[in-house]
Amino acid sequence: MPDRLTGALRGNVDVAGLGALLVVLLAVYSHYDSEVFTPASITILSAQFLPLILAAMGQSTVMLAGGIDLSLGSVLALAMAVFAVRAEDGVVLAAVLALLAAAATGAANGVLVAYAGLPPIIVTLAASFLWGGVTLVVLPQPGGSVPSGLVKAYNNGWNGIALPALAIVLVLVLWKVVRTTRFGLSLYAVGGNEHGAYASGIATRKVKISAYALAGVFIGLAGIGLAVQTGSGDATIGAPYTLNSIAASVLAGVSFFGGVGQMRATVLAALLIGLLTNLLLFTGLSPFYQLIMQGAVLIVAIAVKTFATRERTD
Amino acid sequence: MIGRFTRAIVAVTALGTLTATAACGVDSGDGGSSGGTGKSKALKVGWSTIYLTPSWMQQTDKMIKDDVAKLKKDGKVADYQVFNANGDTSQQIAQIRAMIQQKYDVILVDAGSSTALNPALEQAANAGITVVNFDSLVTSEKVVRVGTDQTEWGRMMGQWLGETLGGKGKIIAFNGPAGVAVSEQRWKGAEEALKKFPGIKVVSNVHSEYNLAPAAQAFASAYSANPDIDGVFSQGGALSAAALQTLVKQKKKLVPITGENYNGFLKLWQQNKDAGFSSLSTAQPNYLGVIALRAAVAKAGGATVPNQITVPLPKITNENLSEYVKPDQPDDSYPIQELPQSEIDKLIGK
């Protein structure tokens, strides 16, 4: 292989690998759903996957800073509840409130991690109970409502445009911009080597807090997406997103130790997990075997990824 | 070099796994798509449930499967598939969308959220699919819903407890998980009924999963804080069993506890009946699933089916307890007599 090509591949090994897996998966998928590449299907699928993609981006942001967020599901449900409760009186205000709430919870996690020096796993685990309780206060039982026009536009497309897909592109562009700022560079530096970053004059605490707050924004967006998708709020719906977002991030090659990983890969990985679960529904396997398959494929994929990246440090 | 070799092997394994997934599907996919064509086409039926593992769901699954076998013999159902969302509502939405894409004729749903599935279910209904929801219900009025009246459940229990206690005393309220619609509705009904008995005081309101082990822990701590209670409003069988077990184990006064047709509770009740324990229990009958299936088949065949089918709540009392309790069956089962076909027909408006 020409050196330049291997070089490019090596730099993007996660993206390339996941892309290849995605192509295989899509090929199999189109066997069951021949309309998968039509605009209508793309709209439906992106509507379905958007919350997980955004949640995974939030989790990846925290992991890049060397942390982990176990409160993600609770915060997602909180943002969803806030949005669903207020959406009738104005969608924009409701969205702002939901995002503020989610960013604030993230910042609170960040402060505890950065200043109190508490381990992220403990802080966010405790926070998951805290915000789970607050969510129940905001929305004691499933309800709230999102204007039906918005729900239709989101789920069925708006003038032929897949709004969720557009949202994913916009958020990726946003990340690209953030990534090139001083904060973006510091995020990787702090995640990779906190002491080194501190020694070279980076305000590591500020960076950490900002990272958790930015993750909160992604998680808030995921909550809003879920509220618009379902047309309602439900305090109990967020929990599975915590583990799924971690699975997507790990599959994407974001390191548990921080500093390594690409957001493009996270988006692909979340997409992959979503498509895979859908595909297993199509295959008509017994429900219990579907779970086994899902777990097995995840482990194999993560193992491949681990072996593939191990070479870099050889 | 060795590293690269290992990587190659792992990559091949990964692809193999994926191909295997594909291969499994190729068979069943082709088998399913060639449905029968005739005057009254045999239906492709799918059941999407939020959980499949609890024993109530297992029993429901078995009951539906038995009925599907009958309907297959009559040529009314061609294909039946179960989807388990494993507690993940987003996954359940994906299942419903997948069933729409796969052109199912009938979708049965046991919902994980009373609101979140509405858009997906309405989309299915708009696509001409017969959607019937049972047990855990959604709020959408565009699908056929088969259930019991949960508020009435709470009201009935609250009323009985109030009367049994002679209108005064302290009680513990033992509810299901916070934020779950069924639990909130049952408690709402109970509160309504208890309002009529101003002498009754709720000293503690405990939430727990409908599951014996966590319920026992939750009840034990509430009870140790309030050992002088006169009764328990409990809204689920495992919860009631946990409460009664605590009293029996600690050799305390056996106060009245409301319950459900959970065999473990019914057995304990029978064992302690002579010691003065009394209860009123009801049931979320497993045959709800069968009624839903029958309603769906009737509707898909062109019959008019009421949009809301409310199945009456059975009453298990001190007098008829022995007809329900099954001493030879496991605690974790839900004994209930099957509903005769004539009753089912009446409910679905035949």
Side-chain angles (χ1 to χ4, degrees):
Chain A
M1 235 189 278
D3 272 357
R4 210 184 305 158
L5 186 58
T6 40
L9 266 181
R10 193 162 298 173
N12 287 295
V13 65
D14 303 318
V15 177
L18 289 168
L21 268 179
L22 200 62
V23 169
V24 174
L25 213 54
L26 279 174
V28 180
Y29 201 99
S30 62
H31 171 82
Y32 291 101
D33 179 9
S34 51
E35 291 161 12
V36 63
F37 298 113
T38 61
S41 272
I42 292 172
T43 309
I44 289 176
L45 289 176
S46 61
Q48 188 192 323
F49 299 148
L50 175 75
L52 177 60
I53 290 174
L54 291 172
M57 289 177 80
Q59 189 66 259
S60 289
T61 309
V62 174
M63 282 170 69
L64 283 175
I68 191 159
D69 190 353
L70 297 184
S71 65
L72 186 143
S74 300
V75 173
L76 192 150
L78 176 65
M80 185 193 192
V82 169
F83 182 77
V85 166
R86 299 298 303 262
E88 289 276 88
D89 316 328
V91 175
V92 177
L93 180 66
V96 170
L97 284 175
L99 286 179
L100 279 180
T105 61
N109 281 340
V111 168
L112 289 171
V113 169
Y115 280 95
L118 301 175
I121 200 163
I122 304 296
V123 169
T124 56
L125 180 64
S128 75
F129 294 112
L130 175 63
W131 301 120
V134 172
T135 308
L136 282 171
V137 173
V138 176
L139 191 70
Q141 58 174 306
S145 90
V146 178
S148 60
L150 184 60
V151 177
K152 275 213 186 87
Y154 177 92
N155 283 310
N156 304 333
W158 175 73
N159 291 333
I161 302 171
L163 290 181
L166 192 67
I168 294 165
V169 173
L170 282 180
V171 174
L172 262 181
V173 170
L174 173 80
W175 171 257
K176 193 94 190 159
V177 173
V178 170
R179 176 92 169 70
T180 53
T181 61
R182 202 181 143 74
F183 162 71
L185 295 172
S186 314
L187 176 67
Y188 276 82
V190 170
N193 181 353
E194 194 178 343
H195 294 292
Y198 183 77
S200 53
I202 294 175
T204 53
R205 284 173 173 166
K206 236 191 250 168
V207 169
K208 272 193 180 173
I209 297 171
S210 312
Y212 276 89
L214 177 63
V217 173
F218 285 132
I219 298 164
L221 285 171
I224 295 171
L226 197 55
V228 179
Q229 188 199 355
T230 62
S232 67
D234 187 332
T236 60
I237 201 173
Y241 282 91
T242 306
L243 285 183
N244 287 340
S245 67
I246 295 174
S249 300
V250 172
L251 183 58
V254 181
S255 164
F256 267 118
F257 306 106
V260 177
Q262 286 171 306
M263 209 48 101
R264 276 171 289 168
T266 299
V267 173
L268 283 180
L271 204 58
L272 212 62
I273 290 180
L275 274 174
L276 182 68
T277 31
N278 265 23
L279 187 63
L280 288 175
L281 293 177
F282 284 151
T283 58
L285 278 175
S286 128
F288 296 123
Y289 286 109
Q290 285 181 21
L291 284 178
I292 295 175
M293 272 314 257
Q294 214 174 322
V297 172
L298 256 183
I299 290 176
V300 169
I302 290 169
V304 172
K305 139 83 207 143
T306 311
F307 280 113
T309 41
R310 193 166 286 176
E311 187 210 27
R312 284 191 216 167
T313 52
D314 277 351
Chain B
M1 266 304 143
I2 291 173
R4 199 162 291 177
F5 181 66
T6 323
R7 269 185 288 124
I9 288 184
V10 176
V12 167
T13 321
L15 280 174
T17 317
L18 283 169
T19 330
T21 320
C24 299
V26 173
D27 301 337
S28 58
D30 290 348
S33 57
S34 56
T37 44
K39 267 178 289 173
S40 59
K41 184 183 78 141
L43 302 166
K44 187 171 173 188
V45 180
W47 176 35
S48 162
T49 178
I50 186 67
Y51 288 114
L52 197 58
T53 27
S55 55
W56 192 91
M57 288 295 180
Q58 298 273 342
Q59 264 175 268
T60 301
D61 180 41
K62 195 177 166 297
M63 261 193 179
I64 299 180
K65 269 196 186 123
D66 290 348
D67 209 48
V68 162
K70 282 185 217 160
L71 287 164
K72 271 188 179 164
K73 224 182 250 165
D74 297 346
K76 287 185 176 156
V77 169
D79 187 53
Y80 173 67
Q81 188 77 247
V82 183
F83 299 90
N84 174 19
N86 208 32
D88 184 343
T89 307
S90 300
Q91 165 84 358
Q92 198 170 23
I93 296 172
Q95 290 173 354
I96 291 156
R97 301 230 191 264
M99 282 193 262
I100 299 173
Q101 278 165 318
Q102 296 233 301
K103 307 208 165 29
Y104 273 75
D105 302 300
V106 168
I107 298 180
L108 304 178
V109 181
D110 198 324
S113 163
S114 59
T115 55
L117 300 178
N118 288 346
L121 293 179
E122 285 170 13
Q123 196 188 9
N126 290 340
I129 298 170
T130 307
V131 182
V132 182
N133 168 216
F134 71 94
D135 178 39
S136 173
L137 300 182
V138 298
T139 52
S140 170
E141 308 203 328
K142 292 191 181 149
V143 302
V144 177
R145 288 173 292 172
V146 180
T148 52
D149 184 341
Q150 303 295 334
T151 320
E152 176 56 30
W153 175 312
R155 222 180 277 137
M156 184 168 120
M157 296 296 170
Q159 180 71 27
W160 177 84
L161 195 61
E163 283 168 8
T164 308
L165 297 181
K168 63 177 204 296
K170 292 182 195 168
I171 63 167
I172 289 179
F174 202 10
N175 288 308
V180 171
V182 168
S183 169
E184 305 292 336
Q185 284 163 6
R186 287 182 189 168
W187 177 235
K188 195 179 122 215
E191 273 186 311
E192 269 172 38
L194 289 170
K195 242 183 238 156
K196 284 186 267 170
F197 304 98
I200 288 187
K201 230 180 96 193
V202 180
V203 290
S204 175
N205 187 348
V206 192
H207 290 275
S208 168
E209 283 172 56
Y210 296 112
N211 207 337
L212 196 59
Q217 282 176 345
F219 187 81
S221 47
Y223 183 66
S224 65
N226 304 282
D228 56 342
I229 48 162
D230 305 292
V232 178
F233 165 80
S234 158
Q235 54 147 281
L239 305 180
S240 312
L244 181 51
Q245 223 172 45
T246 310
L247 299 187
V248 171
K249 266 191 202 150
Q250 301 188 4
K251 298 202 170 70
K252 294 287 164 55
K253 191 182 136 204
L254 298 177
V255 300
I257 300 169
T258 59
E260 190 189 3
N261 67 330
Y262 174 81
N263 203 28
F265 176 66
L266 299 185
K267 280 186 195 170
L268 264 180
W269 178 1
Q270 189 156 52
Q271 284 159 20
N272 292 285
K273 214 168 93 173
D274 295 336
F277 177 73
S278 74
S279 171
L280 171 68
S281 288
T282 185
Q284 182 75 344
N286 298 96
Y287 50 68
L288 288 178
V290 174
I291 298 174
L293 174 64
R294 289 285 171 168
V297 170
K299 193 179 179 204
T304 323
V305 169
N307 230 17
Q308 175 86 52
I309 300 173
T310 306
V311 178
L313 287 163
K315 271 188 184 175
I316 309 174
T317 61
N318 281 333
E319 284 69 45
N320 67 6
L321 171 63
S322 53
E323 296 165 27
Y324 285 89
V325 64
K326 298 272 183 297
D328 53 329
Q329 278 176 24
D331 283 5
D332 205 14
S333 65
Y334 293 82
I336 189 90
Q337 284 91 346
E338 278 189 44
L339 205 60
Q341 190 61 43
S342 59
E343 288 289 314
I344 295 180
D345 288 346
K346 217 188 287 168
L347 281 167
I348 63 177
K350 254 191 188 171

PDB file of all heavy atoms in Angstrom, chain B residues 181-192:
ATOM      1  N   ALA B 181     -46.992   5.426  35.048  1.00  0.00           N
ATOM      2  CA  ALA B 181     -48.394   5.832  34.971  1.00  0.00           C
ATOM      3  C   ALA B 181     -49.317   4.902  35.766  1.00  0.00           C
ATOM      4  O   ALA B 181     -50.183   5.371  36.506  1.00  0.00           O
ATOM      5  CB  ALA B 181     -48.827   5.899  33.513  1.00  0.00           C
ATOM      6  N   VAL B 182     -49.130   3.583  35.625  1.00  0.00           N
ATOM      7  CA  VAL B 182     -50.014   2.636  36.310  1.00  0.00           C
ATOM      8  C   VAL B 182     -49.990   2.877  37.824  1.00  0.00           C
ATOM      9  O   VAL B 182     -51.032   2.934  38.487  1.00  0.00           O
ATOM     10  CB  VAL B 182     -49.583   1.188  36.001  1.00  0.00           C
ATOM     11  CG1 VAL B 182     -50.280   0.208  36.915  1.00  0.00           C
ATOM     12  CG2 VAL B 182     -49.869   0.857  34.554  1.00  0.00           C
ATOM     13  N   SER B 183     -48.804   3.035  38.351  1.00  0.00           N
ATOM     14  CA  SER B 183     -48.655   3.245  39.789  1.00  0.00           C
ATOM     15  C   SER B 183     -49.342   4.539  40.234  1.00  0.00           C
ATOM     16  O   SER B 183     -50.049   4.571  41.242  1.00  0.00           O
ATOM     17  CB  SER B 183     -47.168   3.279  40.140  1.00  0.00           C
ATOM     18  OG  SER B 183     -46.982   3.715  41.453  1.00  0.00           O
ATOM     19  N   GLU B 184     -49.129   5.591  39.457  1.00  0.00           N
ATOM     20  CA  GLU B 184     -49.728   6.885  39.806  1.00  0.00           C
ATOM     21  C   GLU B 184     -51.253   6.800  39.749  1.00  0.00           C
ATOM     22  O   GLU B 184     -51.951   7.349  40.603  1.00  0.00           O
ATOM     23  CB  GLU B 184     -49.231   7.989  38.869  1.00  0.00           C
ATOM     24  CG  GLU B 184     -47.721   8.140  38.774  1.00  0.00           C
ATOM     25  CD  GLU B 184     -47.083   8.662  40.059  1.00  0.00           C
ATOM     26  OE1 GLU B 184     -47.784   9.328  40.840  1.00  0.00           O
ATOM     27  OE2 GLU B 184     -45.892   8.388  40.286  1.00  0.00           O
ATOM     28  N   GLN B 185     -51.780   6.094  38.761  1.00  0.00           N
ATOM     29  CA  GLN B 185     -53.239   5.998  38.628  1.00  0.00           C
ATOM     30  C   GLN B 185     -53.858   5.204  39.770  1.00  0.00           C
ATOM     31  O   GLN B 185     -54.888   5.595  40.327  1.00  0.00           O
ATOM     32  CB  GLN B 185     -53.606   5.346  37.292  1.00  0.00           C
ATOM     33  CG  GLN B 185     -53.452   6.285  36.108  1.00  0.00           C
ATOM     34  CD  GLN B 185     -53.413   5.550  34.794  1.00  0.00           C
ATOM     35  OE1 GLN B 185     -53.611   4.337  34.732  1.00  0.00           O
ATOM     36  NE2 GLN B 185     -53.145   6.284  33.719  1.00  0.00           N
ATOM     37  N   ARG B 186     -53.240   4.082  40.113  1.00  0.00           N
ATOM     38  CA  ARG B 186     -53.794   3.272  41.204  1.00  0.00           C
ATOM     39  C   ARG B 186     -53.794   4.080  42.505  1.00  0.00           C
ATOM     40  O   ARG B 186     -54.758   4.042  43.265  1.00  0.00           O
ATOM     41  CB  ARG B 186     -52.974   1.983  41.379  1.00  0.00           C
ATOM     42  CG  ARG B 186     -53.208   0.989  40.268  1.00  0.00           C
ATOM     43  CD  ARG B 186     -52.429  -0.297  40.492  1.00  0.00           C
ATOM     44  NE  ARG B 186     -52.513  -1.148  39.308  1.00  0.00           N
ATOM     45  CZ  ARG B 186     -51.772  -2.218  39.096  1.00  0.00           C
ATOM     46  NH1 ARG B 186     -50.873  -2.597  39.990  1.00  0.00           N
ATOM     47  NH2 ARG B 186     -51.900  -2.950  38.011  1.00  0.00           N
ATOM     48  N   TRP B 187     -52.715   4.815  42.726  1.00  0.00           N
ATOM     49  CA  TRP B 187     -52.625   5.588  43.968  1.00  0.00           C
ATOM     50  C   TRP B 187     -53.639   6.717  43.962  1.00  0.00           C
ATOM     51  O   TRP B 187     -54.238   7.048  44.993  1.00  0.00           O
ATOM     52  CB  TRP B 187     -51.200   6.097  44.166  1.00  0.00           C
ATOM     53  CG  TRP B 187     -51.033   6.971  45.376  1.00  0.00           C
ATOM     54  CD1 TRP B 187     -50.524   8.228  45.412  1.00  0.00           C
ATOM     55  CD2 TRP B 187     -51.409   6.661  46.733  1.00  0.00           C
ATOM     56  NE1 TRP B 187     -50.549   8.722  46.677  1.00  0.00           N
ATOM     57  CE2 TRP B 187     -51.091   7.781  47.521  1.00  0.00           C
ATOM     58  CE3 TRP B 187     -51.986   5.552  47.347  1.00  0.00           C
ATOM     59  CZ2 TRP B 187     -51.329   7.824  48.896  1.00  0.00           C
ATOM     60  CZ3 TRP B 187     -52.222   5.596  48.716  1.00  0.00           C
ATOM     61  CH2 TRP B 187     -51.889   6.715  49.473  1.00  0.00           C
ATOM     62  N   LYS B 188     -53.866   7.319  42.778  1.00  0.00           N
ATOM     63  CA  LYS B 188     -54.857   8.393  42.674  1.00  0.00           C
ATOM     64  C   LYS B 188     -56.239   7.863  43.088  1.00  0.00           C
ATOM     65  O   LYS B 188     -56.963   8.499  43.860  1.00  0.00           O
ATOM     66  CB  LYS B 188     -54.890   8.911  41.227  1.00  0.00           C
ATOM     67  CG  LYS B 188     -55.593  10.241  41.076  1.00  0.00           C
ATOM     68  CD  LYS B 188     -55.571  10.710  39.622  1.00  0.00           C
ATOM     69  CE  LYS B 188     -56.973  10.918  39.133  1.00  0.00           C
ATOM     70  NZ  LYS B 188     -57.209  10.587  37.734  1.00  0.00           N
ATOM     71  N   GLY B 189     -56.592   6.681  42.578  1.00  0.00           N
ATOM     72  CA  GLY B 189     -57.875   6.074  42.921  1.00  0.00           C
ATOM     73  C   GLY B 189     -57.972   5.793  44.414  1.00  0.00           C
ATOM     74  O   GLY B 189     -58.999   6.040  45.054  1.00  0.00           O
ATOM     75  N   ALA B 190     -56.889   5.288  44.977  1.00  0.00           N
ATOM     76  CA  ALA B 190     -56.876   4.968  46.405  1.00  0.00           C
ATOM     77  C   ALA B 190     -57.061   6.234  47.234  1.00  0.00           C
ATOM     78  O   ALA B 190     -57.837   6.255  48.204  1.00  0.00           O
ATOM     79  CB  ALA B 190     -55.560   4.295  46.775  1.00  0.00           C
ATOM     80  N   GLU B 191     -56.362   7.298  46.841  1.00  0.00           N
ATOM     81  CA  GLU B 191     -56.487   8.556  47.582  1.00  0.00           C
ATOM     82  C   GLU B 191     -57.919   9.063  47.564  1.00  0.00           C
ATOM     83  O   GLU B 191     -58.443   9.535  48.576  1.00  0.00           O
ATOM     84  CB  GLU B 191     -55.555   9.612  46.972  1.00  0.00           C
ATOM     85  CG  GLU B 191     -54.152   9.569  47.536  1.00  0.00           C
ATOM     86  CD  GLU B 191     -53.303  10.713  47.010  1.00  0.00           C
ATOM     87  OE1 GLU B 191     -53.286  10.931  45.791  1.00  0.00           O
ATOM     88  OE2 GLU B 191     -52.648  11.386  47.832  1.00  0.00           O
ATOM     89  N   GLU B 192     -58.568   8.938  46.379  1.00  0.00           N
ATOM     90  CA  GLU B 192     -59.974   9.344  46.257  1.00  0.00           C
ATOM     91  C   GLU B 192     -60.841   8.594  47.257  1.00  0.00           C
ATOM     92  O   GLU B 192     -61.646   9.185  47.978  1.00  0.00           O
ATOM     93  CB  GLU B 192     -60.502   9.031  44.850  1.00  0.00           C
ATOM     94  CG  GLU B 192     -60.352  10.155  43.866  1.00  0.00           C
ATOM     95  CD  GLU B 192     -60.715   9.692  42.461  1.00  0.00           C
ATOM     96  OE1 GLU B 192     -61.666   8.895  42.320  1.00  0.00           O
ATOM     97  OE2 GLU B 192     -60.020  10.112  41.510  1.00  0.00           O
TER      98      GLU B 192
END
